[in-house]
Amino acid sequence: RETIQRLQEGHLLNLYPEGARTPDGEIKSMQPGVGLIARRARVPVVPAVIVGSFEAWPRHRRLFRRHPVRVRYGPPMDLTELERDAIVDHIDGTLREMFQAAREGL
């Protein structure tokens, strides 16, 4: 409730919809909570992907190493007309497309 209220007040929220760091550098399944928050808050969602962070600091390493890390942002998405599962699917597809494009652009 607090999260939704703050979003509706104009605050920003950074969510990692997979729920945890990737074990292999690939995007994993989205957690359904991201759809619930987006549906209830009824605010635009700005998709973003981070490319290179796995290579810089994979889960199995104690310390990070030098490697370029890039963050790419997409345009705000109005998801207010979608149901929770459709929101999750839309965010998932968008992030996967952005991630692949960002990887190819390195």
Side-chain angles (χ1 to χ4, degrees):
R1 289 184 184 144
E2 181 76 20
T3 297
I4 293 164
Q5 178 183 342
R6 287 182 183 246
L7 284 169
Q8 291 171 338
E9 291 171 352
H11 296 273
L12 301 176
L13 174 66
N14 185 25
L15 287 177
Y16 296 88
E18 298 170 87
R21 289 173 55 198
T22 177
D24 61 4
E26 298 299 321
I27 293 179
K28 298 299 177 200
S29 300
M30 304 289 122
Q31 297 295 313
V34 70
L36 178 69
I37 291 170
R39 174 100 174 116
R40 289 190 180 169
R42 303 183 64 78
V43 296
V45 172
V46 178
V49 293
I50 304 169
V51 178
S53 60
F54 176 78
E55 292 78 10
W57 201 352
R59 289 178 71 169
H60 64 276
R61 288 184 56 99
R62 289 187 66 194
L63 298 173
F64 62 90
R65 60 181 170 223
R66 287 179 52 111
H67 189 277
V69 176
R70 292 194 170 97
V71 180
R72 299 274 173 103
Y73 296 92
M77 301 184 297
D78 179 1
L79 306 173
T80 56
E81 300 301 319
L82 300 177
E83 295 296 324
R84 185 194 72 184
D85 291 342
I87 290 170
V88 173
D89 290 343
H90 188 74
I91 291 172
D92 183 68
T94 300
L95 293 179
R96 288 178 190 282
E97 287 176 16
M98 289 175 60
F99 189 73
Q100 187 61 36
R103 271 184 157 175
E104 292 170 0
L106 283 179

